[in-house]
Amino acid sequence: MQIQDLPYPDPGVPDARSGSRFLWWLFRNQLGGQLKSLAWGLLHFLSISVLPFCVGVAVQAVVDHSGRRLALAGGLLVLCCVGSALGDTFLHRSAVTNWITAAARVQQLLAHKAANLGSALTRRVAAGEVVAVSTGDVEKIGWFVEAWSRFTAAAVTIVVVCAAMVVYQPQLGVVVAVGLPVLALAALPLLPRATRRADFQREKAGRATELASDTVAGLRVLRGIGGEELFLDRYRRASQEVRHAAVRSARMWSLIAAIQVLLPGLLLIAVVWYGVHLARQGRVEIGELVAVYSSVMILSYPLRHFEEIAMAYSFSRPSATRAARVLSLERATSAEGSRDRNRDRDGEGEGNGLPAGDLYDPATGLLAPSGRLTAVVCGDPDAAGLLAERLGGHPSEEGTSVLLGGVPLDELPLGSARTAVLVQDKDPVLLSGTLRELLDVPASGAVGAGEALTAAQCADVLAALVQGSLGAEDPMDARITERGRSLSGGQRQRLALARSLFTDPEVLVLDEPTSAVDSHTEARIAQGVRDLRAGRTTVVFTSSPLLLDHADRVVLVHEGEVAAVGVHRELVHKEPRYRAVVTRETDEEAALDDVLNEVDVLNELEEIEETA
């Protein structure tokens, strides 16, 4: 895979059982690129390693007054320099390609997982952790994938050079062959501690990122309650903990780096001392001593890659563990729908053969007739949110699948299910960009942008956007800030509602779409939604009488089951539990109403008896 060929047509199914298994899976999926990088790495390192032998031959040729051998040494030096330059150039190119393609594969996997899980992702994993995985962790995982081929080439080079020196000059070669493996493995006892410190640093950094993300997301609320300094102090403490952890980790890695400098120096001293001793006895020629001495100096370069791979693994393993934890999450589907999860990933059949008909939830008994506006009243807002997500095929727990026209949503390809049923939760997200880009979503084409904006009562929102965007005469070109933070809660709600109406799905599920809107605007929105969604199935979770009064059918869900069905005015008078939720009636008020009702009944009976 080349960079120009990205993205991957299919990034594959990752082995997310652990961080180490995930890294191994990435390596296996890039075997061709790793072998190419290894080949260029061997050319580069071996060319550099042959240079000392060429120098030794040249020195000995000068001592022996041999012009032929000197010319041969010069030619070999030229070839080695050319090989080193070519190898270094293409090693860097192929290694960076491995890094970028690995990072792109991980990002695609994370994007697919986020799209697959939908809103369930942030309920099961903190939003800050998802951000950390998709940014910093992806980079560190790519670093390990990139460094592996360089390390392998360096290790093979050291083995080859040690064997060559034993053949070239056995007495000094044995010293080098014994000393170099010791140098390469000297830092191993320190790696577990360095890894633990690196893991601890990553954990602290992840918590600080989560805290920063949550603080920025809730900045408007924090300013409203005067909590900015409180959360800033928390973030300062978290950042100081990250700094201390980073310093402790850096101390260990500096110790490992010092060992990688100290031990080669000691080996070099030992080789020079022993080589001079042998040269004075006439057992080693000057050229051989120069060659071995230079080789030890040159081999400190490939030895550095042992330190690099240790650092890369120590930093990438916790990152890979975090990524594997996210990628191991699965949709909560019924057993009958589990066989179609692979099709969900492929999106096979998206938009084709969509089922139509009534929307029915067997778990609660909730029925939303086709082409009707159904309002659902639930006393527990959290339970209402979970039920809304179930209706859209995003259950947080395994259970019986919701049926659309008698077809389980779990058995539909994920793309088809989400085309058929659209869920707008109570806290919809507005992405930054222009209003035109906000409405650039898959839609049926039956509803225009103007119609959707009008039904959602967005006239004042458009005026505010134009006023806040310099040079934007057309409201569609007005810019929306990140998450719409420059807008009020009600304005964000209405823009999100307009986007959902513009999409015009077969089934639209709205969870508290007007909770931040004033009553006058809410009444107009209720009428606009009813008119625009005529003939389409719409489910609204709300306790607002203004919305309930416009519904064709009202369903009361109590303790996870349908408790009453009717229209708003009828249920208000006949169903005490419904009345308590809609009118915000307290238990004392409900008891008083029951007493008054009983008194009225007794009075009526007395009047009947007197008349008789």
Side-chain angles (χ1 to χ4, degrees):
M1 171 65 71
Q2 297 299 316
I3 296 176
Q4 62 266 24
D5 298 326
L6 294 174
Y8 287 93
D10 180 6
V13 180
D15 186 349
R17 289 176 290 177
S18 67
S20 300
R21 289 177 182 272
F22 181 60
L23 289 175
W24 173 242
W25 177 83
L26 278 177
F27 175 80
R28 286 190 292 108
N29 278 271
Q30 290 193 303
L31 188 58
Q34 293 290 344
L35 292 176
K36 183 186 298 184
S37 185
L38 174 61
W40 290 116
L42 287 174
L43 175 62
H44 173 58
F45 288 124
L46 290 175
S47 297
I48 290 178
S49 300
V50 174
L51 287 175
F53 293 95
C54 297
V55 172
V57 171
V59 170
Q60 192 61 42
V62 171
V63 172
D64 296 339
H65 304 287
S66 174
R68 185 178 61 82
R69 280 190 292 162
L70 184 61
L72 176 62
L76 289 175
L77 280 171
V78 172
L79 289 177
C80 289
C81 290
V82 172
S84 175
L86 285 175
D88 190 24
T89 301
F90 288 99
L91 169 62
H92 179 74
R93 179 186 178 91
S94 57
V96 171
T97 299
N98 290 336
W99 176 22
I100 293 176
T101 52
R105 186 188 295 271
V106 177
Q107 286 181 326
Q108 277 188 252
L109 290 170
L110 291 170
H112 286 187
K113 182 60 64 175
N116 186 291
L117 293 176
S119 58
L121 175 62
T122 52
R123 288 203 312 271
R124 299 162 72 177
V125 180
E129 184 171 352
V130 176
V131 173
V133 170
S134 58
T135 53
D137 287 337
V138 167
E139 181 179 351
K140 289 178 174 59
I141 292 170
W143 177 28
F144 176 76
V145 173
E146 174 203 9
W148 179 258
S149 55
R150 285 201 301 268
F151 160 72
T152 307
V156 172
T157 299
I158 289 175
V159 172
V160 171
V161 170
C162 287
M165 278 198 287
V166 170
V167 174
Y168 177 69
Q169 215 311 309
Q171 298 179 76
L172 288 176
V174 170
V175 175
V176 176
V178 172
L180 281 177
V182 173
L183 297 184
L185 302 177
L188 281 181
L190 298 176
L191 286 181
R193 181 177 297 180
T195 300
R196 287 194 298 270
R197 292 189 179 186
D199 291 351
F200 184 72
Q201 178 194 352
R202 291 297 305 155
E203 180 183 350
K204 291 294 183 182
R207 291 179 181 175
T209 302
E210 293 173 18
L211 181 60
S213 176
D214 294 341
T215 302
V216 172
L219 194 57
R220 179 187 289 270
V221 177
L222 292 177
R223 287 174 175 170
I225 62 176
E228 293 174 85
E229 287 302 322
L230 174 63
F231 275 81
L232 285 175
D233 287 340
R234 290 181 181 177
Y235 182 72
R236 289 191 190 101
R237 289 195 297 271
S239 63
Q240 288 302 310
E241 291 177 358
V242 174
R243 184 176 67 84
H244 290 309
V247 170
R248 292 185 72 247
S249 179
R251 285 173 181 166
M252 185 57 62
W253 288 113
S254 64
L255 176 60
I256 292 175
I259 291 175
Q260 294 292 323
V261 173
L262 175 63
L263 294 184
L266 294 177
L267 178 62
L268 190 61
I269 293 172
V271 168
V272 171
W273 179 84
Y274 185 53
V276 170
H277 176 71
L278 293 176
R280 292 176 62 183
Q281 295 178 352
R283 298 162 60 186
V284 173
E285 294 182 347
I286 298 300
E288 293 175 335
L289 177 60
V290 171
V292 175
Y293 168 78
S294 302
S295 294
V296 174
M297 290 190 63
I298 289 293
L299 287 177
S300 62
Y301 171 54
L303 277 174
R304 293 177 194 167
H305 292 84
F306 284 76
E307 177 190 353
E308 182 194 18
I309 196 65
M311 290 185 66
Y313 180 73
S314 298
F315 281 93
S316 66
R317 190 180 59 81
S319 296
T321 301
R322 289 154 64 103
R325 184 163 59 247
V326 175
L327 294 174
S328 64
L329 299 176
E330 294 290 344
R331 293 176 63 211
T333 58
S334 64
E336 291 80 2
S338 61
R339 63 180 179 272
D340 297 293
R341 288 177 186 172
N342 289 335
R343 285 197 303 156
D344 288 347
R345 177 175 56 82
D346 297 334
E348 185 179 306
E350 182 174 343
N352 297 323
L354 297 179
D358 299 341
L359 184 67
Y360 177 66
D361 178 26
T364 60
L366 173 62
L367 174 67
S370 176
R372 306 284 294 280
L373 173 59
T374 301
V376 181
V377 176
C378 187
D380 184 357
D382 293 333
L386 294 175
L387 179 54
E389 291 175 352
R390 273 183 54 80
L391 294 179
H394 314 283
S396 57
E397 298 177 355
E398 291 188 5
T400 307
S401 174
V402 171
L403 306 178
L404 177 59
V407 179
L409 287 181
D410 285 353
E411 295 187 0
L412 291 175
L414 186 60
S416 298
R418 293 188 176 174
T419 300
V421 184
L422 173 65
V423 178
Q424 177 183 305
D425 60 26
K426 58 172 60 71
D427 187 22
V429 175
L430 301 181
L431 302 179
S432 59
T434 64
L435 182 58
R436 193 184 309 278
E437 292 170 340
L438 178 71
L439 297 178
D440 185 16
V441 293
S444 68
V447 177
E451 295 175 282
L453 291 167
T454 300
Q457 300 299 310
C458 292
D460 63 314
V461 185
L462 299 182
L465 288 175
V466 171
Q467 186 177 4
S469 300
L470 297 177
E473 298 180 358
D474 186 349
M476 298 298 289
D477 295 326
R479 294 201 63 81
I480 301 171
T481 57
E482 182 186 3
R483 290 180 174 266
R485 290 196 175 99
S486 61
L487 303 173
S488 68
Q491 290 173 328
R492 288 197 299 271
Q493 268 193 341
R494 282 178 280 165
L495 278 182
L497 176 59
R499 178 178 59 188
S500 299
L501 294 174
F502 174 72
T503 303
D504 189 38
E506 181 66 30
V507 179
L508 176 61
V509 180
L510 304 172
D511 186 8
E512 295 289 354
T514 58
S515 59
V517 176
D518 64 85
S519 58
H520 297 289
T521 305
E522 188 176 30
R524 293 194 294 269
I525 290 175
Q527 187 61 51
V529 171
R530 180 180 177 85
D531 294 341
L532 194 63
R533 292 289 299 173
R536 292 286 205 181
T537 306
T538 307
V539 181
V540 181
F541 285 81
T542 183
S543 59
S544 168
L546 293 172
L547 284 173
L548 293 170
D549 199 36
H550 283 80
D552 298 315
R553 192 170 188 265
V554 178
V555 180
L556 172 65
V557 176
H558 181 69
E559 295 183 352
E561 293 182 353
V562 172
V565 179
V567 294
H568 170 61
R569 296 173 188 261
E570 173 188 339
L571 292 175
V572 166
H573 292 91
K574 293 183 177 180
E575 179 54 58
R577 291 172 296 185
Y578 178 84
R579 183 170 61 250
V581 175
V582 173
T583 63
R584 278 68 169 177
E585 190 177 58
T586 64
D587 293 339
E588 292 78 6
E589 291 172 337
L592 180 60
D593 287 341
D594 292 339
V595 171
L596 292 175
N597 289 333
E598 290 179 4
V599 170
D600 290 339
V601 171
L602 291 175
N603 288 336
E604 290 178 2
L605 290 175
E606 289 177 359
E607 290 178 1
I608 293 173
E609 289 177 357
E610 291 176 358
T611 303

PDB file of all heavy atoms in Angstrom, residues 176-193:
ATOM      1  N   VAL A 176      34.943  -8.469  20.018  1.00  0.00           N
ATOM      2  CA  VAL A 176      33.808  -7.669  19.529  1.00  0.00           C
ATOM      3  C   VAL A 176      32.533  -8.502  19.493  1.00  0.00           C
ATOM      4  O   VAL A 176      31.457  -8.038  19.879  1.00  0.00           O
ATOM      5  CB  VAL A 176      34.127  -7.100  18.136  1.00  0.00           C
ATOM      6  CG1 VAL A 176      32.915  -6.342  17.576  1.00  0.00           C
ATOM      7  CG2 VAL A 176      35.340  -6.185  18.202  1.00  0.00           C
ATOM      8  N   ALA A 177      32.639  -9.763  19.041  1.00  0.00           N
ATOM      9  CA  ALA A 177      31.461 -10.628  18.927  1.00  0.00           C
ATOM     10  C   ALA A 177      30.839 -10.909  20.292  1.00  0.00           C
ATOM     11  O   ALA A 177      29.620 -11.089  20.403  1.00  0.00           O
ATOM     12  CB  ALA A 177      31.835 -11.931  18.239  1.00  0.00           C
ATOM     13  N   VAL A 178      31.678 -10.957  21.342  1.00  0.00           N
ATOM     14  CA  VAL A 178      31.146 -11.157  22.691  1.00  0.00           C
ATOM     15  C   VAL A 178      30.615  -9.844  23.270  1.00  0.00           C
ATOM     16  O   VAL A 178      29.577  -9.809  23.949  1.00  0.00           O
ATOM     17  CB  VAL A 178      32.234 -11.763  23.609  1.00  0.00           C
ATOM     18  CG1 VAL A 178      31.752 -11.792  25.055  1.00  0.00           C
ATOM     19  CG2 VAL A 178      32.597 -13.150  23.140  1.00  0.00           C
ATOM     20  N   GLY A 179      31.314  -8.751  22.992  1.00  0.00           N
ATOM     21  CA  GLY A 179      30.944  -7.467  23.598  1.00  0.00           C
ATOM     22  C   GLY A 179      29.691  -6.848  23.022  1.00  0.00           C
ATOM     23  O   GLY A 179      28.879  -6.258  23.758  1.00  0.00           O
ATOM     24  N   LEU A 180      29.487  -6.959  21.697  1.00  0.00           N
ATOM     25  CA  LEU A 180      28.342  -6.288  21.081  1.00  0.00           C
ATOM     26  C   LEU A 180      26.991  -6.820  21.562  1.00  0.00           C
ATOM     27  O   LEU A 180      26.086  -6.033  21.849  1.00  0.00           O
ATOM     28  CB  LEU A 180      28.445  -6.386  19.558  1.00  0.00           C
ATOM     29  CG  LEU A 180      29.420  -5.401  18.906  1.00  0.00           C
ATOM     30  CD1 LEU A 180      29.486  -5.633  17.398  1.00  0.00           C
ATOM     31  CD2 LEU A 180      29.004  -3.965  19.183  1.00  0.00           C
ATOM     32  N   PRO A 181      26.782  -8.150  21.659  1.00  0.00           N
ATOM     33  CA  PRO A 181      25.501  -8.619  22.221  1.00  0.00           C
ATOM     34  C   PRO A 181      25.265  -8.120  23.645  1.00  0.00           C
ATOM     35  O   PRO A 181      24.127  -7.841  24.033  1.00  0.00           O
ATOM     36  CB  PRO A 181      25.630 -10.145  22.177  1.00  0.00           C
ATOM     37  CG  PRO A 181      26.610 -10.408  21.085  1.00  0.00           C
ATOM     38  CD  PRO A 181      27.588  -9.280  21.161  1.00  0.00           C
ATOM     39  N   VAL A 182      26.357  -8.018  24.430  1.00  0.00           N
ATOM     40  CA  VAL A 182      26.210  -7.481  25.788  1.00  0.00           C
ATOM     41  C   VAL A 182      25.725  -6.040  25.734  1.00  0.00           C
ATOM     42  O   VAL A 182      24.849  -5.625  26.508  1.00  0.00           O
ATOM     43  CB  VAL A 182      27.547  -7.587  26.548  1.00  0.00           C
ATOM     44  CG1 VAL A 182      27.453  -6.880  27.892  1.00  0.00           C
ATOM     45  CG2 VAL A 182      27.926  -9.045  26.733  1.00  0.00           C
ATOM     46  N   LEU A 183      26.301  -5.263  24.821  1.00  0.00           N
ATOM     47  CA  LEU A 183      25.868  -3.876  24.666  1.00  0.00           C
ATOM     48  C   LEU A 183      24.405  -3.797  24.246  1.00  0.00           C
ATOM     49  O   LEU A 183      23.642  -2.958  24.741  1.00  0.00           O
ATOM     50  CB  LEU A 183      26.724  -3.165  23.610  1.00  0.00           C
ATOM     51  CG  LEU A 183      28.220  -3.016  23.908  1.00  0.00           C
ATOM     52  CD1 LEU A 183      28.883  -2.205  22.811  1.00  0.00           C
ATOM     53  CD2 LEU A 183      28.439  -2.363  25.246  1.00  0.00           C
ATOM     54  N   ALA A 184      24.009  -4.668  23.307  1.00  0.00           N
ATOM     55  CA  ALA A 184      22.640  -4.617  22.796  1.00  0.00           C
ATOM     56  C   ALA A 184      21.617  -4.985  23.864  1.00  0.00           C
ATOM     57  O   ALA A 184      20.504  -4.444  23.890  1.00  0.00           O
ATOM     58  CB  ALA A 184      22.505  -5.552  21.592  1.00  0.00           C
ATOM     59  N   LEU A 185      22.012  -5.917  24.758  1.00  0.00           N
ATOM     60  CA  LEU A 185      21.053  -6.420  25.746  1.00  0.00           C
ATOM     61  C   LEU A 185      21.235  -5.786  27.123  1.00  0.00           C
ATOM     62  O   LEU A 185      20.502  -6.125  28.053  1.00  0.00           O
ATOM     63  CB  LEU A 185      21.200  -7.942  25.879  1.00  0.00           C
ATOM     64  CG  LEU A 185      21.010  -8.744  24.587  1.00  0.00           C
ATOM     65  CD1 LEU A 185      21.253 -10.222  24.837  1.00  0.00           C
ATOM     66  CD2 LEU A 185      19.608  -8.526  24.019  1.00  0.00           C
ATOM     67  N   ALA A 186      22.177  -4.846  27.258  1.00  0.00           N
ATOM     68  CA  ALA A 186      22.482  -4.283  28.578  1.00  0.00           C
ATOM     69  C   ALA A 186      21.304  -3.521  29.171  1.00  0.00           C
ATOM     70  O   ALA A 186      21.133  -3.482  30.388  1.00  0.00           O
ATOM     71  CB  ALA A 186      23.701  -3.361  28.478  1.00  0.00           C
ATOM     72  N   ALA A 187      20.503  -2.918  28.319  1.00  0.00           N
ATOM     73  CA  ALA A 187      19.399  -2.100  28.824  1.00  0.00           C
ATOM     74  C   ALA A 187      18.141  -2.903  29.137  1.00  0.00           C
ATOM     75  O   ALA A 187      17.182  -2.350  29.683  1.00  0.00           O
ATOM     76  CB  ALA A 187      19.061  -1.004  27.805  1.00  0.00           C
ATOM     77  N   LEU A 188      18.135  -4.196  28.807  1.00  0.00           N
ATOM     78  CA  LEU A 188      16.930  -5.006  29.024  1.00  0.00           C
ATOM     79  C   LEU A 188      16.435  -5.000  30.475  1.00  0.00           C
ATOM     80  O   LEU A 188      15.227  -4.886  30.721  1.00  0.00           O
ATOM     81  CB  LEU A 188      17.172  -6.439  28.561  1.00  0.00           C
ATOM     82  CG  LEU A 188      17.076  -6.689  27.052  1.00  0.00           C
ATOM     83  CD1 LEU A 188      17.311  -8.163  26.753  1.00  0.00           C
ATOM     84  CD2 LEU A 188      15.717  -6.263  26.516  1.00  0.00           C
ATOM     85  N   PRO A 189      17.323  -5.120  31.483  1.00  0.00           N
ATOM     86  CA  PRO A 189      16.811  -5.106  32.868  1.00  0.00           C
ATOM     87  C   PRO A 189      16.096  -3.816  33.246  1.00  0.00           C
ATOM     88  O   PRO A 189      15.263  -3.813  34.159  1.00  0.00           O
ATOM     89  CB  PRO A 189      18.083  -5.301  33.708  1.00  0.00           C
ATOM     90  CG  PRO A 189      19.055  -5.975  32.795  1.00  0.00           C
ATOM     91  CD  PRO A 189      18.775  -5.401  31.442  1.00  0.00           C
ATOM     92  N   LEU A 190      16.418  -2.719  32.563  1.00  0.00           N
ATOM     93  CA  LEU A 190      15.791  -1.438  32.895  1.00  0.00           C
ATOM     94  C   LEU A 190      14.481  -1.204  32.148  1.00  0.00           C
ATOM     95  O   LEU A 190      13.721  -0.308  32.510  1.00  0.00           O
ATOM     96  CB  LEU A 190      16.757  -0.292  32.562  1.00  0.00           C
ATOM     97  CG  LEU A 190      18.090  -0.285  33.327  1.00  0.00           C
ATOM     98  CD1 LEU A 190      18.960   0.845  32.825  1.00  0.00           C
ATOM     99  CD2 LEU A 190      17.846  -0.155  34.823  1.00  0.00           C
ATOM    100  N   LEU A 191      14.233  -2.006  31.101  1.00  0.00           N
ATOM    101  CA  LEU A 191      13.055  -1.749  30.269  1.00  0.00           C
ATOM    102  C   LEU A 191      11.723  -1.933  31.011  1.00  0.00           C
ATOM    103  O   LEU A 191      10.801  -1.129  30.809  1.00  0.00           O
ATOM    104  CB  LEU A 191      13.095  -2.646  29.037  1.00  0.00           C
ATOM    105  CG  LEU A 191      14.112  -2.236  27.955  1.00  0.00           C
ATOM    106  CD1 LEU A 191      14.043  -3.193  26.784  1.00  0.00           C
ATOM    107  CD2 LEU A 191      13.845  -0.809  27.492  1.00  0.00           C
ATOM    108  N   PRO A 192      11.549  -2.971  31.861  1.00  0.00           N
ATOM    109  CA  PRO A 192      10.258  -3.080  32.560  1.00  0.00           C
ATOM    110  C   PRO A 192       9.916  -1.839  33.378  1.00  0.00           C
ATOM    111  O   PRO A 192       8.782  -1.362  33.351  1.00  0.00           O
ATOM    112  CB  PRO A 192      10.446  -4.316  33.446  1.00  0.00           C
ATOM    113  CG  PRO A 192      11.473  -5.132  32.744  1.00  0.00           C
ATOM    114  CD  PRO A 192      12.408  -4.138  32.133  1.00  0.00           C
ATOM    115  N   ARG A 193      10.915  -1.314  34.106  1.00  0.00           N
ATOM    116  CA  ARG A 193      10.647  -0.113  34.893  1.00  0.00           C
ATOM    117  C   ARG A 193      10.363   1.082  33.990  1.00  0.00           C
ATOM    118  O   ARG A 193       9.460   1.880  34.268  1.00  0.00           O
ATOM    119  CB  ARG A 193      11.834   0.196  35.806  1.00  0.00           C
ATOM    120  CG  ARG A 193      11.627   1.412  36.689  1.00  0.00           C
ATOM    121  CD  ARG A 193      12.790   1.640  37.622  1.00  0.00           C
ATOM    122  NE  ARG A 193      12.946   0.517  38.548  1.00  0.00           N
ATOM    123  CZ  ARG A 193      13.897   0.464  39.491  1.00  0.00           C
ATOM    124  NH1 ARG A 193      14.757   1.471  39.608  1.00  0.00           N
ATOM    125  NH2 ARG A 193      13.975  -0.571  40.294  1.00  0.00           N
TER     126      ARG A 193
END
